[in-house]
Amino acid sequence: MSSLFVDEGSKLESTIDFSRFLKSAKKNWWKVLAFSVITTGAMTPLVLKMPPKYEAFASVYLKADETKPTLFEQVRSFDATRKEYYETQYQLIKARRVAASVVDDLKLYNDPEFYGKSKKPLTLAQKKDNSVAYLLKHLTVSAVRKTQLVDVGFESEKAVLAAEVANSVVQSYINYTINDNRNATDNASVLLGKQIADLKVDLQKKEDNLNAFLKKEHLITFRGIDGFQTSELSLLNENLAAAVAQRVHSEAIYKTVTSQANSGIKAASIPEILRNPQMENLHVKIIDQRTQLSDLEKRYGAKNEQVIQAKSSLAILQQQANVVIKQIVQGIKEQYQAAVLKENQLQDSVNKMTANFQKLGDKKTEYNNLVDGITKTRKIYNQLIQRQNETEVNGQFVESAASMIDPALIPQKPTKPNKKLLIAVIAIMSLLIATIFFVILAAINNKVLTISEIKRRLGLEILGEIKRYKEPLTAKSVIESNSSIPSLDEAAFGIRSAIHLLNTQSKMIAVSSTITNEGTSTVSALIAKSLAVDSRVLVVDLDFRTKALTKALADPHHVGMSELITHKATKDDCIIKLPNFDFITTGDNKTLSPLVLLTNNNLKTLFAEFNNQYDYVIFDTPAVEQGKDAALISQLVDGVIFVVESNQLSSNQIVSAINQLQSNKAKLLGCVLNKVNEKLIEAAENINPVNVKGII
């Protein structure tokens, strides 16, 4: 079971008791005040000796767009639309490179404020490093919200130096951006020059390889490597087509003449022969001669000399016609044969040219590869030359990414320290620290201090509280007090009233605690005395181990419970009559163990007899941590009152003892808080006691 839970797991601390913290602070208020006064007094001289600090600010405008004097692309450009752009510029302003430049420009490494104090002499490099670190530590860069402006501030012990450093930082940052752009342009120009030179050598090498290839393969570059061959092949194909057409035409004429001649048709009537100009001329002459012969025969008769001459002329003309026809037919044949020969020759030439053209394909592929390599290299070469020219033009105008809008002015008053405010803060903080210290002490104090904590921390009903007196209370002093201590009497009546308010029928009541010396004997006597006002009360001391109550109220050797249990004495022999109640001691047992006595069967009988004879029986029992005595007794009584000494034990330890009793089915009536500091008293009867005498 958790130390924070009792009564079958019910939660003991469900709320935070702030009143406990307030009481702790209130109780120790003078300590808190003393700590604050001492701390403030000790720190005031140190604050007054603090050197003043001056802070100066310069305003910087971060450009969102580039100034483009030409249409050429810049080597180094910026994109202000990127979310990291402005944050990057803030970090560049605080860059160590910028700080080092400022330290060198203003010779800050000679100022002790910057390089600091050192037991050993510092080298120049160490002074510069320290100065840069100091500058960066006291440099502030803050963006002006919803603008492109940035405030650059520097804090120094000297007002003039604060302004100078702030302005120098801004100027160094601007120079850095300008130099960075210029260096980028110069580096790009050098790189382009190197690449152009390399490409020029490469281009010359490729051109030499192409010329060597053309020379080796005996190629002519006319409309490409195959331009000449293509033109020549095209011309041959055209001639071949014409020759084929001519051969077809000649062949058709030749076949027509041959076929008609073979079929018996007179050659003179064949159109291809008849259309011959020479033949047409002879044909006209033959017709005219026949006409003339016919006219002469009609006029003179067949035997006329003129008729005979006319017939002779006609025969000559027909002979001439036959000769011409033979010549024409032979000419047609020869023309056909010439056309066939020409066609065959041209076809051979085309075939040879086609074969050579196909062989040229591999050479053409290699040629094209060489030409493509030269073309691509030349294109890159030209682009690089163009880019180099553009870079040279752009290099004549280099701009920064920022400009100073308002330079830092020399501050007239120090910004810090505000010594009055600092002293006030020290005073307030020391008060808070001291208060928190005592609150923490109260928070980590797990002890029960007041009756208001009993229910929350222990889970028990509150029966009452007894304050701590200057003279420690004993059972004997309680019996003999006779209202000399009003607050004690009122506390006793408060406990009596709480027992009655429980509405319990408990008559047999045991009183126990976690450890010894918490006041169980005193509380037992006090409860018995308050109940005895109107009731018969018996007090039995069952603490066989310490016999505290017996030693306080009677003779330790008087017969008592040990003798009653072992039948060595009677009740009448054991009961001692005191002014307020009857009392039975532990007895004078020196041989038997307390556990043997408490487990004796006769004990139950004695308890029953006590119950019948008295209105209340109060049993003073050993502490729970002393052994199993209290647990054994708790099983024989009607209830247990648990006594807790204020600010003595941790709640965990007390709850553990309570759990031991409850695990043995003990009925816990409630708790009495004993020895409470007077400042922590909460019960009304203890705060305002009524002085009534002669009651108890």
Side-chain angles (χ1 to χ4, degrees), residues 214-251:
L214 294 174
K215 185 176 181 181
K216 176 183 177 182
E217 301 296 336
H218 306 289
L219 299 176
I220 300 174
T221 55
F222 172 74
R223 297 177 183 175
I225 192 174
D226 57 351
F228 179 78
Q229 287 82 352
T230 301
S231 299
E232 187 176 1
L233 181 61
S234 177
L235 181 60
L236 283 175
N237 283 326
E238 290 176 1
N239 293 337
L240 177 61
V244 170
Q246 181 64 35
R247 189 266 305 165
V248 171
H249 178 71
S250 299
E251 184 179 10

Side-chain angles (χ1 to χ4, degrees), residues 19 439 508:
S19 63
V439 168
M508 310 279 284

Side-chain angles (χ1 to χ4, degrees), residues 602-621:
N602 296 330
L603 192 61
K604 292 182 180 180
T605 304
L606 287 173
F607 272 44
E609 292 177 1
F610 294 156
N611 190 24
N612 293 330
Q613 186 176 351
Y614 292 92
D615 296 324
Y616 291 98
V617 181
I618 307 300
F619 297 94
D620 183 25
T621 67

Side-chain angles (χ1 to χ4, degrees), residues 307-319:
V307 172
I308 294 171
Q309 288 179 354
K311 287 182 179 180
S312 177
S313 296
L314 180 60
I316 292 170
L317 287 172
Q318 287 178 341
Q319 289 177 355

Side-chain angles (χ1 to χ4, degrees), residues 33 114 120 130 175 182 188 236 250 266 275 285 288 299 304 307 325 359 409 430 433 502 508 532 547 604 654 664:
L33 185 60
F114 284 81
K120 298 180 180 180
N130 293 349
N175 293 339
R182 181 178 290 112
L236 283 175
S250 299
K266 290 184 179 181
R275 284 195 292 269
K285 288 181 179 180
D288 291 343
R299 184 180 298 177
N304 187 279
V307 172
I325 289 171
K359 293 179 180 179
L409 300 178
S430 59
I433 291 172
L502 290 176
M508 310 279 284
K547 301 181 180 183
K604 292 182 180 180
I654 299 171
N664 289 287

Side-chain angles (χ1 to χ4, degrees), residues 468-509:
R468 181 185 296 273
Y469 293 94
K470 294 181 179 179
E471 293 293 331
L473 289 177
T474 63
K476 186 175 182 179
S477 64
V478 168
I479 298 299
E480 297 174 350
S481 65
N482 194 22
S483 301
S484 60
I485 308 176
S487 60
L488 180 61
D489 293 340
E490 284 297 304
F493 286 129
I495 298 171
R496 167 194 165 98
S497 300
I499 294 173
H500 284 295
L501 289 173
L502 290 176
N503 293 322
T504 177
Q505 299 299 321
S506 300
K507 295 175 59 179
M508 310 279 284
I509 300 174

Side-chain angles (χ1 to χ4, degrees), residues 551-600:
K551 294 176 181 178
L553 301 181
D555 181 5
H557 302 290
H558 194 281
V559 292
M561 286 300 296
S562 60
E563 286 79 11
L564 274 176
I565 294 172
T566 56
H567 298 296
K568 293 181 179 180
T570 64
K571 284 193 294 181
D572 294 336
D573 295 333
C574 295
I575 294 175
I576 300 174
K577 298 292 183 176
L578 296 178
N580 302 96
F581 51 79
D582 294 345
F583 176 62
I584 299 178
T585 67
T586 56
D588 194 24
N589 171 61
K590 296 180 180 178
T591 58
L592 295 176
S593 167
L595 295 178
V596 173
L597 294 173
L598 293 175
T599 54
N600 193 299

Side-chain angles (χ1 to χ4, degrees), residues 11-16 456:
K11 196 172 184 180
L12 294 181
E13 296 198 41
S14 59
T15 59
I16 299 175
R456 179 169 56 86

